[in-house]
């Protein structure tokens, strides 16, 4: 479980509301960082109860969390089962200017949880807390290229951040902003400081058009004039989002394949109003960070890769949702007959259930709605969010 980039958590008081598996992972990570953890929940997992008995840095209050618990707290993680309690905690944290990660409501959150890469005075945040293994792998991949000089950087002045001890974090030449449902908010005080120095901004929030527009309105207001603005959307078009940025001429798409550190295509696609110079800048940037740049010359939902991949995955979910064959049989058929290393449902596990759910919901057909509903009830609601969460169609 990743924690906010650049935060010095040792000795800070952090409130964790809720006692389930997500709260357990948060508490473990916080204790490693030597934070003072207040756990407030009427019931907790056996492991949390054991930690509360053994670790003096963890105090468990056996009741529901309330606004008063925020007194003296610097950071909040809210993972209760009550939407109302989540909203009340979010509002209380906002009124007290306390950073907050609100599980299930990324728009209400005000902290940035990410994996970090740092080298040569540059800090790159990769925000994908619902997919921590991917975030860490991407950060390590970027860091290796920064350290070897494969991704050249410019020296910049150090930026003072707005935190109680005025801790410092080197400004980033690249800021990656995004995450899945349950992740923290996308732009914080720290995020805005990073954006103020960014040359390239890459957004990777869930495939929800209104959410993307809302996030880009914030990014557009914070990013400097030199920044090229990129969406990593898998299926939405840049022209659907461009106006929300306030800088449509600098806005385009840079799409990373899943497991980009291994399958390293970078699809670059502008819209009719994108400045050709911005397209060229992003093509060059993609090459500098080790991607194979793919220039998509006209707007196409799904670029090249997903134009090929999505119909294949849709055919597989059609067979499943119509009870024609089970996922294991469908995958076995594809692997055996074609020699491919992964079947379609193994690929869906890599993509992640939130993305699969949102894409099918957006498609709007009766069958896609049925697929989305089954994905939600049989997987997301049961915590089976994909391979990097430990389980999807398969258990890992």
């Amino acid at each position: 479980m990743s924690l906010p980039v650049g935060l010095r958590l040792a000795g800070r008081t952090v409130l964790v509301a809720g006692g389930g598996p997500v709260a357990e992972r948060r508490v473990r990570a916080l204790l490693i960082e030597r934070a003072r953890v207040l756990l407030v929940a009427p019931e907790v997992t056996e492991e949390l109860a054991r930690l509360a008995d053994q670790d003096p840095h963890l105090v468990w209050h056996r009741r529901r969390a309330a606004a008063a618990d925020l007194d003296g707290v610097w950071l909040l993680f809210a993972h209760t089962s009550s939407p109302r309690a989540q909203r009340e905690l979010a509002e209380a944290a906002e009124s007290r200017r306390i950073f907050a990660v609100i599980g299930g409501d990324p728009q209400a959150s005000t902290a940035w949880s990410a994996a970090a890469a740092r080298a040569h005075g540059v800090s790159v945040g990769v925000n994908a807390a619902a997919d921590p293994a991917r975030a860490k792998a991407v950060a390590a991949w970027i860091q290796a290229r920064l350290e070897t000089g494969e991704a050249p950087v410019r020296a910049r002045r150090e930026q003072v951040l707005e935190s109680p001890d005025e801790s410092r974090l080197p400004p980033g030449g690249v800021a990656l902003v995004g995450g899945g449902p349950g992740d923290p908010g996308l732009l914080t005080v720290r995020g805005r400081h990073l954006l103020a120095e960014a040359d390239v901004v890459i957004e990777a929030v869930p495939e929800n058009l209104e959410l993307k527009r809302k996030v880009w309105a914030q990014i557009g207001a914070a990013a400097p004039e030199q920044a090229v603005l990129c969406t990593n959307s898998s299926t939405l078009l840049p022209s659907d989002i461009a106006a929300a940025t306030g800088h449509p001429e600098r806005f385009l798409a840079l799409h990373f394949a899943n497991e980009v550190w291994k399958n390293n295509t970078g699809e670059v696609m502008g819209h009719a109003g994108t400045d050709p110079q911005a397209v060229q800048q992003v093509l060059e940037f993609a090459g500098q960070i080790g991607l194979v740049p793919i220039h998509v010359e006209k707007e196409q939902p799904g670029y090249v890769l997903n134009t090929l991949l999505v119909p294949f995955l849709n055919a597989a979910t059609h067979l499943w949702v119509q009870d024609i064959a089970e996922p294991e049989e469908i995958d076995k058929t594809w692997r055996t007959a074609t020699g491919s290393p992964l079947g379609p449902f193994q690929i869906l596990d890599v993509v992640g259930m939130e993305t699969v759910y949102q894409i099918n919901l957006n498609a709007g057909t009766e069958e896609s709605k049925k697929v989305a509903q089954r994905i939600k009830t049989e997987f997301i609601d049961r915590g089976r969010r994909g391979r990097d969460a430990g389980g999807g169609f398969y258990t890992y």
Side-chain angles (χ1 to χ4, degrees), residues 185-217:
L186 305 162
L187 294 178
T188 67
V189 174
R190 287 161 181 75
R192 290 187 179 93
H193 277 300
L194 286 171
L195 284 170
E197 294 287 335
D199 297 310
V200 180
V201 180
I202 305 171
E203 160 271 313
V205 307
E207 291 293 280
N208 179 299
L209 181 58
E210 290 310 310
L211 174 60
K212 286 186 181 286
R213 286 172 172 167
K214 180 176 180 178
V215 169
W216 274 111

Side-chain angles (χ1 to χ4, degrees), residues 92-140:
E94 177 68 20
S95 68
R96 291 167 167 80
R97 296 184 60 80
I98 294 170
F99 290 139
V101 175
I102 309 300
D105 193 352
Q107 296 181 56
S109 301
T110 54
W112 183 19
S113 183
R118 297 185 181 90
H120 304 303
V122 170
S123 176
V124 180
V126 184
N127 188 0
D131 198 353
R134 183 178 186 183
K136 291 176 182 176
V138 171

Side-chain angles (χ1 to χ4, degrees), residues 326-344:
E326 291 298 314
E328 294 85 352
E329 291 298 305
I330 297 167
D331 282 356
K332 181 170 68 175
T333 301
W334 183 256
R335 293 194 310 267
T336 304
T338 67
S340 297
L342 299 179

